[in-house]
């Protein structure tokens, strides 16, 4: 992305899809943007679900890393990373190459399938 | 015996004197006082800093915190309940050391699978199980935040790299590397004199460099109210800390 450090993920933030799904990797003239955050406040942190607008379609996604510094001892990534997800929580892609923070393992119940396809942990 | 080219006997050359390296004699030890021991400028009671230093020394007696500078490559293993084998290891270059007292932190940066990752660790956090210095060196600056806008090759470090042995007891190598940047825009305008960055190879046109000098504040260097001379404080604290640690 071109803008400076952004304060976590909210409506209209451009995100980077990290899994190997077809939707996330085919080029399009507009970058994928967040249009809604499923949270009481409109700010999405690691482990929150958001609604993404990709290639003219609406898709849910899970935030796996953002540029804003979080709690101490947690990693801060250089780009806002997101994994495409279905409504029931199943990931669309089959592999995630980029490192995922260990904190996601806390909510193992909802994201066990996403953690299963992740390769590197930070 | 050497046969001289003249045929006449050469002048006697005494053999070279043997260099005796006395290892038992204590060499001039390099004094390194971690920057978080130096109290910040202010009107707080020195008793607070004294108690904090006692706690810091107590922690250092049980857990070894090595000497390192901004620009050295470290490997940190932390206790993590969600990691395999309950411990996670992160290797990276130290880009910033901040905080004073027990809240002292350092930020490590590395690029894994084309993704830049930075982690801020606390020096005195009990979750940290080990800190190893893989390469001890200094850089031209105290703050390497500009590595975020530099080409990724300058922030990638091998996770399985072997520790480079630091031989001399006296000198710490200074890496005079001049880093090349990605095209502008950057997160901060590093060419401006307020950041005082020496480790970047600016490839900007002369006009831009001159324009950046407009924001220079040459009077700040001579401002007496901003002076904070820490030499005497450092001496006192160094004596105190080294005595406590030897016990």
């Amino acid at each position: 992305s071109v803008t400076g450090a952004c304060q976590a993920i909210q409506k209209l933030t451009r995100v980077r899809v990290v899994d190997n799904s077809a939707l996330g990797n085919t080029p399009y003239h507009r970058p994928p943007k967040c249009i809604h955050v499923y949270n009481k406040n409109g700010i999405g942190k690691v482990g929150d679900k958001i609604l993404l607008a990709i290639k003219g379609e609406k898709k849910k996604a899970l935030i796996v890393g953002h540029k804003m510094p979080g709690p101490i001892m947690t990693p801060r990534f250089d780009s806002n990373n997101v994994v495409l997800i279905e409504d029931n929580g199943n990931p669309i892609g089959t592999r995630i190459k980029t490192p995922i923070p260990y904190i996601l393992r806390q909510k193992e119940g909802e994201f066990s399938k996403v953690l299963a396809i992740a390769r590197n942990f930070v | 015996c050497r046969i001289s080219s003249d045929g006449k006997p050469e002048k006697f050359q005494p053999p070279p004197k043997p260099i005796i390296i006395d290892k038992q004699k204590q060499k001039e030890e390099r004094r390194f006082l971690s920057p978080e021991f130096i109290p910040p400028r202010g009107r707080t009671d020195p008793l607070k800093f004294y108690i904090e230093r006692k706690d810091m020394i107590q922690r250092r007696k049980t857990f070894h915190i090595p000497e390192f500078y901004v620009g050295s490559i470290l490997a940190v293993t932390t206790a993590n309940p969600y990691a395999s084998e309950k411990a996670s290891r992160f290797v990276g270059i130290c880009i910033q050391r901040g905080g004073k007292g027990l809240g002292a932190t350092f930020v490590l940066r590395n690029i894994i699978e084309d993704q830049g990752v930075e982690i801020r660790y606390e020096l005195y956090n009990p979750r940290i199980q080990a800190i190893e210095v893989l390469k001890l060196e200094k850089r031209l600056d105290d703050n390497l935040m500009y590595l975020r806008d530099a080409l990724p090759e300058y922030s990638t470090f091998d996770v399985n790299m072997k520790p480079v042995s630091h031989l001399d007891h006296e000198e710490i190598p200074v890496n005079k590397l001049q880093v090349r940047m990605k095209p502008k825009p950057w997160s901060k305008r590093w060419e401006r004199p307020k950041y005082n960055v020496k480790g970047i190879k600016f490839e900007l046109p002369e006009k831009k460099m001159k324009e950046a000098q407009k924001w220079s504040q040459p009077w700040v260097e001579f401002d007496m109210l901003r002076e904070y001379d820490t030499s005497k404080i450092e001496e006192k604290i160094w004596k105190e800390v080294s005595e406590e640690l030897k016990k």
Side-chain angles (χ1 to χ4, degrees):
Chain A
S1 55
V2 170
T3 38
C6 79
Q7 302 292 309
I9 298 179
Q10 54 190 33
K11 287 196 188 183
L12 294 188
T13 45
R14 287 164 290 189
V15 287
R16 177 190 167 208
V17 175
V18 264
D19 55 17
N20 65 344
S21 54
L23 243 193
N25 292 35
T26 38
Y28 192 62
H29 55 87
R30 302 185 70 178
K33 276 191 191 167
C34 167
I35 42 181
H36 189 261
V37 180
Y38 292 103
N39 222 345
K40 289 292 180 182
N41 51 335
I43 300 172
K45 305 274 181 179
V46 175
D48 288 335
K49 291 201 190 140
I50 59 172
L51 228 205
L52 227 52
I54 307 180
K55 296 189 73 177
E57 299 166 17
K58 290 183 280 193
K59 215 59 186 196
K60 277 202 185 178
L62 175 74
I63 303 176
V64 286
H66 48 70
K67 263 175 144 183
M68 176 167 167
I72 216 137
M73 308 284 226
T74 52
R76 186 204 85 102
F77 296 88
D78 274 0
S79 62
N80 301 314
N81 299 337
V82 120
V83 170
L84 293 177
I85 223 173
E86 294 279 350
D87 281 335
N88 50 6
N90 296 350
I92 297 171
T94 47
R95 232 182 293 166
I96 303 176
K97 257 178 139 187
T98 39
I100 306 266
Y102 278 112
I103 311 160
L104 274 183
R105 276 202 194 269
Q106 236 177 355
K107 303 168 202 174
E108 183 97 32
E110 301 163 46
F111 311 132
S112 50
K113 291 182 194 164
V114 177
L115 294 164
I117 59 172
R119 289 297 173 88
N120 303 336
F121 281 94
V122 166
Chain B
C1 269
R2 263 196 164 189
I3 310 165
S4 62
S5 50
D6 289 344
K8 298 174 190 172
E10 255 190 52
K11 195 181 170 185
F12 170 67
Q13 299 281 345
K17 282 191 179 165
I19 306 162
I20 309 162
I21 307 167
D22 201 4
K23 283 180 190 171
Q24 290 199 341
K25 192 178 170 188
Q26 260 193 359
K27 296 180 196 175
E28 272 183 44
E29 266 176 30
R30 186 161 38 112
R31 290 172 158 205
F32 172 71
L33 184 65
S34 219
E36 69 267 5
F37 278 104
I38 304 161
R41 203 167 88 137
R43 284 172 58 185
T44 40
D45 201 341
L47 180 66
K48 179 220 176 194
F49 300 121
Y50 176 70
I51 301 170
E52 221 178 6
R53 256 177 277 140
K54 268 179 78 173
D55 283 335
M56 283 151 78
I57 293 164
Q58 190 59 42
R59 173 69 180 158
R60 278 187 185 238
K61 283 185 186 169
T62 44
F63 172 71
H64 170 63
I65 298 174
E67 167 192 352
F68 67 97
Y69 304 88
V70 169
S72 18
I73 303 171
L74 307 183
V76 177
T77 36
T78 34
N80 204 321
Y82 308 111
S84 59
E85 282 164 52
K86 307 294 176 193
S88 60
R89 185 180 145 106
F90 186 72
V91 174
I93 185 171
C94 175
I95 51 175
Q96 190 189 59
R97 278 187 85 156
K100 298 284 179 198
L102 285 167
T105 58
F106 62 100
V107 184
L108 292 184
R109 179 181 167 82
N110 200 348
I111 298 193
I112 310 169
E113 297 276 348
D114 298 327
Q115 173 70 57
V117 185
E118 291 176 11
I119 308 187
R120 181 173 284 259
Y121 288 107
E122 278 175 334
L123 275 174
Y124 297 96
N125 195 324
R127 268 173 65 185
I128 298 186
Q129 289 168 347
I131 306 180
E132 303 157 35
V133 176
L134 297 177
K135 193 174 187 194
L136 179 67
E137 64 174 11
K138 272 193 195 181
R139 293 271 211 140
L140 290 171
D141 303 303
D142 250 349
N143 207 314
L144 298 176
M145 285 294 181
Y146 56 80
L147 286 178
R148 289 176 188 172
D149 298 315
L151 297 172
E153 59 193 32
Y154 296 103
S155 310
T156 32
F157 298 98
D158 184 23
V159 188
N160 305 317
M161 77 187 265
K162 303 263 170 80
V164 170
S165 61
H166 178 65
L167 301 163
D168 282 324
H169 267 273
E170 301 274 345
E171 298 149 18
I172 322 131
V174 178
N175 191 351
K176 302 200 177 173
L177 177 66
Q178 298 252 297
V179 150
R180 288 187 59 210
M181 305 292 273
K182 289 192 226 171
K184 271 208 165 195
W186 298 329
S187 56
K188 299 254 184 261
R189 292 173 217 242
W190 303 110
E191 73 275 8
R192 295 223 175 147
K194 99 169 197 198
Y195 297 107
N196 195 17
V197 144
K198 290 167 200 152
I200 300 182
K201 187 172 183 186
F202 290 109
E203 280 153 9
L204 302 168
E206 278 288 327
K207 215 175 144 186
K208 297 271 177 181
M209 297 302 287
K210 271 196 175 176
E211 209 193 302
Q213 292 303 315
K214 268 203 278 184
W215 280 269
S216 67
Q217 297 180 323
W219 57 87
V220 160
E221 192 194 346
F222 304 104
D223 196 343
M224 292 174 79
L225 289 182
R226 282 186 220 227
E227 274 173 16
Y228 184 40
D229 187 25
T230 51
S231 46
K232 290 178 191 169
I233 308 170
E234 265 190 60
E235 284 281 332
K236 271 194 228 171
I237 297 176
W238 163 257
K239 275 187 205 166
E240 196 189 311
V241 167
S242 51
E243 271 172 35
E244 282 290 318
L245 281 174
K246 276 175 194 167
K247 284 183 194 170

